[in-house]
Amino acid sequence: MYATRALRMMPTRRMMFPVPKEDQSAHTISQRLRKLRQIPAELIPLGVVVAFAVGAAAYSSLRKFSVDKNLRLHRQGRKHEPVEHDEGH
């Protein structure tokens, strides 16, 4: 029995060589725009629908905050009155 031989760890072939610099990151705007072409065509309609939904949600929320007069955005009423606490809790 060679117990230590089973624990020998070897790097895989993939880990032996560094990743090419181009695949690691895109630094300039033109490189980032070139990366957009790698998105599968099936995901573009999904992105359009999600972007529309997020835009509609933001528009309706902002409209609700600005138009609704019944919505309380700030505290009103008593400001500096002491609050009575029960001693039984």
Side-chain angles (χ1 to χ4, degrees), residues 38-59:
Q38 295 176 356
I39 296 174
E42 298 88 19
L43 294 181
I44 293 174
L46 178 65
V48 170
V49 169
V50 169
F52 179 77
V54 169
Y59 171 76

Side-chain angles (χ1 to χ4, degrees), residues 13-21 24:
R13 185 144 182 84
R14 181 177 173 197
M15 297 300 289
M16 284 184 178
F17 303 105
V19 178
K21 183 121 179 121
Q24 287 181 352

Side-chain angles (χ1 to χ4, degrees), residues 5-25:
R5 179 167 255 195
L7 296 176
R8 183 176 46 162
M9 300 178 79
M10 298 289 295
T12 60
R13 185 144 182 84
R14 181 177 173 197
M15 297 300 289
M16 284 184 178
F17 303 105
V19 178
K21 183 121 179 121
E22 184 179 341
D23 290 341
Q24 287 181 352
S25 65

Side-chain angles (χ1 to χ4, degrees), residues 57-82:
Y59 171 76
S60 64
S61 296
L62 292 174
R63 180 166 163 73
K64 177 76 171 175
F65 292 146
S66 63
V67 172
D68 191 6
K69 300 298 179 195
N70 293 329
L71 186 65
R72 282 182 28 178
L73 297 176
H74 303 287
R75 289 185 176 184
Q76 296 173 348
R78 299 183 238 175
K79 291 187 178 183
H80 295 287
E81 290 186 22

